[in-house]
């Protein structure tokens, strides 16, 4: 006789639209289901974290491959019957999910590695597993001097080789906000940068989706872009001529966080999963090629390819308040697509 868990039974009725996408799972002590970003993140967590967790705690992980906004939408649609146990989210979607009450509280005492991460990276509802650093990337073979500021991207010789992308990603959103600031805007006022973007688009080398930018750079169709150090390290690993620049106003940082879904079946296993994600063993492995993830465990010796020398540098970088950004972001995306992408 087949035994069906409460989650599996109710999810079929409450979220028919997602039923075919649900991974197989069980509510056993030695298992959990975790949402994961497609691509590098999924490869990294399947290849490094999952085996480490199985070896240390005999816990099996089923991964549900979803971008952040889709994770939040899926949990909302499930109406109290979580389709997975753990989120992995960037700041914008995390703020939305927090406001919607989709997280279980975090008890840091259940994380053996909690003392190994800088203060503030474990909060009441989140465990930071990765830091991202955003700035300017350029091809040193094409320019005598690197761009020094966000404003430089709109000037020759850089604008003619610039790749423009919009607000669809976290790195794109925060980069354009910082551009807006140098032209007199703010975290909630990007009007000044739209005026500059309209002039720049006539000269820029390309306007494309965020996922296309690394390929355009590798192919030599663009030689300047705003991006994160992860992308720069990945391209360097492929032999591409590329360097990362921290703008004069400072590099941007934001964290990717793990969360326990409200009403999760496998809370104990979820804590083991999060604890392993921030362990020195896993963090050390994930900072290397081909993953290039910035570790947040203080016991990890950073590799040179990450463009930062210490996790303490993150505390001096530019951050943003996503509770202010989120209400306007959809309108910014629509406007960029209409006025700049065309």
């Amino acid at each position: 006789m087949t035994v069906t868990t409460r989650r599996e039974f109710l999810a079929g009725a409450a979220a028919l639209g997602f039923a075919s996408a649900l991974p197989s799972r069980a509510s056993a002590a030695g298992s959990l289901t975790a949402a994961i970003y497609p691509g590098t993140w999924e490869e990294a967590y399947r290849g490094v974290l999952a085996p480490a967790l199985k070896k240390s705690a005999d816990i099996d992980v089923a991964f549900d491959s979803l971008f952040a906004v889709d994770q939040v939408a899926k949990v909302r649609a499930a109406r109290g019957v979580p389709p997975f146990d753990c989120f992995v989210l960037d700041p914008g979607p995390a703020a939305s999910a927090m406001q919607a009450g989709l997280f279980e509280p975090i008890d840091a005492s259940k994380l053996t590695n909690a003392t190994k991460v800088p203060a503030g990276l474990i909060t009441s509802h989140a465990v930071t597993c990765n830091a991202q650093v955003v700035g300017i990337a350029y091809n040193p073979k094409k320019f005598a001097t690197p761009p020094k500021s966000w404003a430089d991207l709109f000037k020759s010789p850089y604008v003619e080789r610039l790749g423009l992308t919009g607000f669809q990603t976290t790195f794109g959103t925060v980069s354009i906000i910082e551009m807006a600031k140098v032209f007199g805007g703010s975290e909630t006022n990007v009007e000044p940068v739209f005026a500059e973007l309209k002039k720049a688009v006539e000269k820029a080398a390309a306007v494309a989706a965020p996922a296309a930018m690394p390929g355009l750079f590798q192919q030599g169709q663009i030689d300047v872009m705003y991006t994160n150090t992860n992308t720069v390290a990945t391209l360097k690993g492929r032999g591409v001529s590329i360097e990362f620049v921290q703008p004069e106003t400072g590099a941007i940082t934001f964290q990717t966080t793990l969360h326990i879904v409200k009403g999760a079946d496998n809370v104990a296993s979820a804590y083991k999963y999060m604890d392993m994600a921030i362990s020195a063993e896993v963090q050390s492995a994930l900072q290397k090629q081909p993953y290039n993830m910035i570790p947040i465990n203080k016991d990890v010796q950073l590799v040179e390819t990450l463009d930062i020398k210490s996790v303490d540098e993150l505390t001096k970088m530019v951050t943003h308040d996503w509770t202010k950004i989120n209400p306007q972001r959809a309108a910014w995306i629509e406007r960029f697509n209409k006025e700049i992408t065309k």
Side-chain angles (χ1 to χ4, degrees):
M1 181 176 72
T2 301
V3 177
T4 303
T5 67
R6 173 181 176 273
R7 178 199 288 170
E8 290 168 331
F9 178 79
L10 293 179
L16 288 175
F18 293 111
S20 61
L22 289 173
S24 60
R25 57 189 180 271
S27 297
S31 68
L32 81 152
T33 303
I36 195 69
Y37 295 152
T40 300
W41 275 82
E42 183 171 6
E43 294 169 9
Y45 273 45
R46 285 188 184 277
V48 176
L49 192 153
L53 185 62
K54 179 66 175 177
K55 181 179 179 180
S56 68
D58 195 24
I59 293 174
D60 295 305
V61 185
F63 288 106
D64 196 354
S65 181
L66 294 163
F67 289 111
V69 292
D70 298 322
Q71 294 175 38
V72 176
K74 190 167 183 176
V75 172
R76 282 179 176 271
R79 298 183 181 180
V81 187
F84 45 80
D85 300 294
C86 282
F87 285 107
V88 57
L89 300 172
D90 284 348
S96 295
M98 181 69 177
Q99 289 176 329
L102 302 184
F103 300 150
E104 289 282 355
I106 296 294
D107 180 356
S109 68
K110 295 181 179 179
L111 300 168
T112 62
N113 290 298
T115 59
K116 301 298 184 180
V117 303
L121 296 192
I122 296 176
T123 68
S124 62
H125 291 79
V127 176
T128 299
C129 61
N130 169 254
Q132 292 198 44
V133 173
V134 177
I136 300 168
Y138 79 106
N139 184 341
K141 293 183 178 179
K142 299 294 183 178
F143 304 102
T145 58
K148 296 180 180 179
S149 70
W150 294 110
D152 283 350
L153 302 188
F154 296 85
K155 304 173 185 175
S156 294
Y158 309 110
V159 67
E160 290 85 1
R161 302 303 304 150
L162 175 63
L164 287 171
T165 193
F167 294 88
Q168 304 98 315
T169 60
T170 302
F171 83 80
T173 299
V174 294
S175 294
I176 298 174
I177 286 173
E178 290 307 298
M179 294 174 200
K181 288 180 181 179
V182 301
F183 292 112
S186 67
E187 193 169 63
T188 55
N189 175 23
V190 297
E191 190 66 34
V193 80
F194 268 102
E196 299 298 327
L197 286 168
K198 288 177 182 178
K199 291 184 286 185
V201 72
E202 303 299 328
K203 304 175 183 179
V207 181
M213 302 309 288
L216 292 174
F217 199 105
Q218 184 170 354
Q219 295 158 18
Q221 295 184 48
I222 63 174
D223 292 305
V224 185
M225 62 180 175
Y226 35 101
T227 190
N228 54 30
T229 56
N230 178 283
T231 296
V232 173
T234 298
L235 290 175
K236 273 187 178 180
R238 298 174 185 168
V240 177
S241 176
I242 186 171
E243 293 294 338
F244 181 80
V245 177
Q246 293 195 21
E248 291 175 339
T249 50
I252 303 163
T253 189
F254 62 89
Q255 284 78 47
T256 303
T257 47
L258 299 174
H259 311 262
I260 302 175
V261 181
K262 187 74 173 178
D265 285 344
N266 301 300
V267 173
S269 292
Y271 273 105
K272 295 288 187 182
Y273 172 80
M274 294 189 299
D275 201 32
M276 182 57 66
I278 63 173
S279 69
E281 173 190 355
V282 168
Q283 294 265 305
S284 181
L286 295 186
Q287 72 170 335
K288 299 173 183 176
Q289 294 281 3
Y291 310 120
N292 305 302
M293 295 182 176
I294 295 176
I296 47 80
N297 186 303
K298 293 183 288 187
D299 287 349
V300 176
Q301 183 70 39
L302 273 63
V303 294
E304 294 181 358
T305 54
L306 295 180
D307 288 297
I308 65 170
K309 294 180 172 61
S310 167
V311 294
D312 293 331
E313 291 181 33
L314 300 174
T315 62
K316 302 176 184 178
M317 294 183 184
V318 180
T319 58
H320 299 86
D321 184 349
W322 282 86
T323 62
K324 296 179 180 178
I325 295 169
N326 278 340
Q328 303 188 71
R329 189 179 179 192
W332 293 345
I333 292 172
E334 182 178 0
R335 185 177 177 187
F336 188 96
N337 291 341
K338 181 179 179 180
E339 299 180 12
I340 310 302
T341 303
K342 299 179 182 178

